[in-house]
Amino acid sequence: MSDAPNEPCTCSALRRATRALTATYDAALKPAGLRVTQFALLRYLDRLGPIPITRLATEAALERTTMGRNLDPLKRRGLVVVTPGAEDPRARIVALTAAGRDALTAATPYWREAQARINARVDPATVSAVAEALIAAS
């Protein structure tokens, strides 16, 4: 007889859902040549303007080292630029380039289409409620 609980694991269920969700957005954004994580970073930069990498990582709820790895392909494509800080040259400031803004504009219709498909299946208010509850619990 197993001592394992019979109830489903919430963590496993949410991880599967997140992988499926990411795959949906990645597939939708493929014609624009972006992954959803890259698209999200371009959106943050468009909204926030030039920003220290550490603050961008905080905004995106990523570790600083993970943020660096996520920015590398965007830098290689010329979609973002990273420069030393004016006040503290050790700080690294990341900014959206004109090419990055163009890529974001081109990708947005694909993102909106994926967003509409997801929202037709899962109520956005439910998603927000679950996200808020889990963040508050951490």
Side-chain angles (χ1 to χ4, degrees), residues 26 29 34-75 79-82 94-97 100-101 103-105 107-108 111:
D26 282 349
L29 290 166
L34 293 172
R35 298 180 61 87
V36 70
T37 51
Q38 296 168 332
F39 178 80
L41 291 178
L42 296 179
R43 285 185 63 178
Y44 279 119
L45 290 169
D46 188 50
R47 182 170 46 90
L48 299 172
I51 185 172
I53 290 177
T54 52
R55 182 161 164 235
L56 180 60
T58 299
E59 291 286 331
L62 294 173
E63 295 291 326
R64 166 67 175 80
T65 55
T66 302
M67 178 57 69
R69 286 191 304 274
N70 279 298
L71 288 173
D72 285 342
L74 297 174
K75 287 190 304 189
L79 303 182
V80 301
V81 63
V82 178
V94 61
L96 193 61
T97 65
R101 193 163 282 107
L104 180 59
T105 299
T108 297
W111 176 84

